[in-house]
Amino acid sequence: MADGADIANFPVGGGEMGGLIREFDWSRTSIGALVRWPQSLKSVTAFLLHSPVPIVLLWGEDGIMIYNDAYSVFAGDRHPQLLGSKVREGWPEVADFNDNVMKVGLAGGTLAYRNQELTLDRRGKPEPAWMNLDYSPVPDESGKPGGVIAIVVETTEAVLAERALVESERKLRALANATSDVIYRMSPDWSVMQPIEGRGLIPDNSAANPNWMEENLVAEDHAIVRLGIDEAIRGRQAFQMEHRVRRPDGTIGWTFSRAVPVEGPDGEIVEWFGAASDVTARRRGEEHLRLVINELNHRVKNNLAMTQAIAAQTFRNAGDLKDAQERFTARIVALAQANDLLTGERWASASLRGVLEQAMRTHCGEEGRCTIEGPDVELSPKTALALTLAMHELATNAVKYGAWSVPEGEVSIRWSLYMPEAWGERIRLEWRERGGPPVSPPERRGFGSKLIERGLAAEMGGTVTMQFAPEGLACVVDAPRNLYGKGE
């Protein structure tokens, strides 16, 4: 009777599974009714029922399953049918795995697996699961293994989280490799920069660097950058600024840098994560644009002043208003053509040949009536404008009164470089007309002559001589070459 009373109370407690074990008809299994259980089986059953860790006992050759409440959660929809079943039949999808477990365990061996992946049907469909598994033999009264006890700790969430982290890091590395930006990480107070690849913007940094500001930034920018960092730290907000950097080749570049704080579980900032873009080309472009605008303003003022002078000289004492208007329009057109030429060269310089060809294009008429010869010489923008207006006056005079006023007349424009003793290199340019009406010196010098002799000579720093020979007008310009390519 005492044994029956003990059996009626076995197992004592054990939660839901304790009750199910007491109510289960074990006589239908190979281990027999509870009254026949050996003490070793009852002891290990009592142990596992009071463990918070998922534990299952596989008893006998069939591996009859006895488990606790924690394991019932792991079993999912297969609980409570697993209780008292053979392990190979209870988990048929991993029968081969459990065959090996029973073989090793009943032979007295142990097994341990970490993050073991098994495909289990626990919720109506097969799904991968990862777990830490520890198998140990349980001796019976004879001292030989009577079963195998398994401690099962599922690690699926941890494994998937780790894989997600690895995938996230892989994508982040791919993004970092795909972008030309410098990706950087800073300590919470920005005192230390973590290793980075500088991508040509700043030197590479293979170790944590506490001297990053001194090494990578221009000294004059330290204060303003530090001010921006302190403001971002105080406000726990993004840092964002354009500032100069020292490039690996020693030159100064510009970067647009933006970093955001990364918080830990306690809400404290654990690091800053940022990206720095190389905006050197854009900043240089903006600076060049400012210079161009300033230069354009200067050119406009010069052109307006020149236009005002042309107007004043053209209409002063003009007897025939219509003729004066035509001459004024022609001079403005010549000035505009010179500006077109300079605009195509970004107002840096203009070739002497290009200036002469453009100035003669609308005047010389038939091919062969104008010869232009000479070596390549660059003119400053201001010299190009003055020479254009002077050539326009000579061409206009040739069309009205000189060589181009008759079909057989010709004009040659030739220039050469020479080196007088004790002087620097000079240029000599000659305008010569032939085949036109006889020429005699004018009684009065008009605006065109003054523009040629005075204006051009003053601009080029040389001399301009007008020779009114009977066979045709000649204009000789002699000036230092070093004034070409200079000026405003």
Side-chain angles (χ1 to χ4, degrees), residues 153-190:
V153 178
E154 184 167 6
T155 59
T156 301
E157 289 187 4
V159 169
L160 293 179
E162 183 179 356
R163 291 189 175 185
L165 178 60
V166 171
E167 178 65 12
S168 177
E169 291 178 346
R170 185 190 66 79
K171 291 181 178 178
L172 181 59
R173 284 195 299 271
L175 177 62
N177 291 332
T179 180
S180 59
D181 290 352
V182 174
I183 306 299
Y184 64 89
R185 294 164 54 215
M186 290 289 186
S187 60
D189 60 355
W190 286 69

Side-chain angles (χ1 to χ4, degrees), residues 179-484:
T179 180
S180 59
D181 290 352
V182 174
I183 306 299
Y184 64 89
R185 294 164 54 215
M186 290 289 186
S187 60
D189 60 355
W190 286 69
S191 61
V192 178
M193 174 184 281
Q194 300 304 317
I196 62 169
E197 180 183 349
R199 297 181 179 273
L201 179 62
I202 59 175
D204 292 345
N205 182 18
S206 60
N209 185 7
N211 301 315
W212 65 272
M213 184 174 288
E214 290 75 12
E215 294 176 3
N216 296 335
L217 271 60
V218 177
E220 292 80 2
D221 291 354
H222 287 185
I224 187 65
V225 172
R226 186 72 250 180
L227 187 64
I229 291 172
D230 292 343
E231 183 178 348
I233 293 175
R234 282 195 304 271
R236 303 172 66 86
Q237 61 191 18
F239 165 81
Q240 184 170 299
M241 183 178 293
E242 280 193 10
H243 57 81
R244 292 174 292 177
V245 293
R246 298 185 183 279
R247 301 166 72 95
D249 61 3
T251 61
I252 302 300
W254 280 87
T255 181
F256 172 72
S257 178
R258 189 174 192 275
V260 295
V262 179
E263 297 181 353
D266 59 356
E268 293 299 316
I269 296 176
V270 295
E271 69 175 338
W272 293 76
F273 192 85
S277 304
D278 189 347
V279 296
T280 306
R282 195 205 77 207
R283 293 287 301 212
R284 289 175 179 171
E286 291 174 351
E287 180 62 26
H288 176 69
L289 181 59
R290 282 193 292 270
L291 293 176
V292 168
I293 291 174
N294 292 336
E295 180 71 10
L296 180 60
N297 289 334
H298 183 64
R299 300 296 176 195
V300 170
K301 290 177 182 178
N302 283 348
N303 281 340
L304 288 175
M306 188 172 292
T307 302
Q308 186 178 25
I310 291 173
Q313 292 294 335
T314 302
F315 292 104
R316 181 181 297 166
N317 303 320
D320 187 339
L321 182 59
K322 182 178 180 181
D323 179 66
Q325 288 176 337
E326 291 177 353
R327 284 186 285 119
F328 175 73
T329 299
R331 287 165 178 166
I332 296 302
V333 168
L335 181 62
Q337 290 173 341
N339 276 277
D340 288 343
L341 181 65
L342 290 169
T343 300
E345 299 297 329
R346 298 186 178 181
W347 283 85
S349 63
S351 73
L352 174 57
R353 176 177 295 276
V355 168
L356 295 174
E357 288 178 348
Q358 179 139 310
M360 297 300 105
R361 188 170 298 148
T362 58
H363 297 287
C364 64
E366 298 177 5
E367 185 177 355
R369 300 191 65 191
C370 181
T371 302
I372 300 176
E373 294 180 353
D376 289 338
V377 177
E378 293 296 311
L379 305 178
S380 71
K382 192 173 181 181
T383 301
L385 290 175
L387 186 62
T388 295
L389 292 176
M391 291 298 106
H392 169 77
E393 295 300 323
L394 289 170
T396 300
N397 184 75
V399 170
K400 288 185 176 182
Y401 315 110
W404 286 336
S405 66
V406 295
E408 61 272 17
E410 297 178 357
V411 174
S412 68
I413 308 173
R414 292 183 170 87
W415 66 95
S416 61
L417 300 173
Y418 71 100
M419 180 79 76
E421 293 184 7
W423 286 15
E425 190 175 31
R426 296 180 70 83
I427 184 169
R428 180 181 177 87
L429 184 148
E430 298 181 2
W431 166 289
R432 293 192 179 276
E433 300 181 26
R434 68 177 65 84
V439 176
S440 60
E443 297 179 0
R444 180 177 63 85
R445 296 295 178 93
F447 169 65
S449 297
K450 294 177 182 179
L451 176 66
I452 297 169
E453 292 180 312
R454 300 177 187 176
L456 189 58
E459 174 56 38
M460 298 179 67
T463 60
V464 178
T465 304
M466 303 282 286
Q467 301 171 0
F468 297 92
E471 63 272 17
L473 173 66
C475 177
V476 180
V477 180
D478 191 289
R481 182 188 179 178
N482 61 6
L483 289 182
Y484 281 70

Side-chain angles (χ1 to χ4, degrees), residues 45-78:
T45 300
F47 162 75
L48 69 85
L49 286 175
H50 291 87
S51 174
V53 178
I55 299 178
V56 59
L57 175 64
L58 313 175
W59 193 258
E61 293 290 340
D62 292 333
I64 301 301
M65 301 181 68
I66 304 169
Y67 52 89
N68 61 7
D69 286 347
Y71 188 87
S72 71
V73 175
F74 167 79
D77 295 343
R78 292 199 172 182

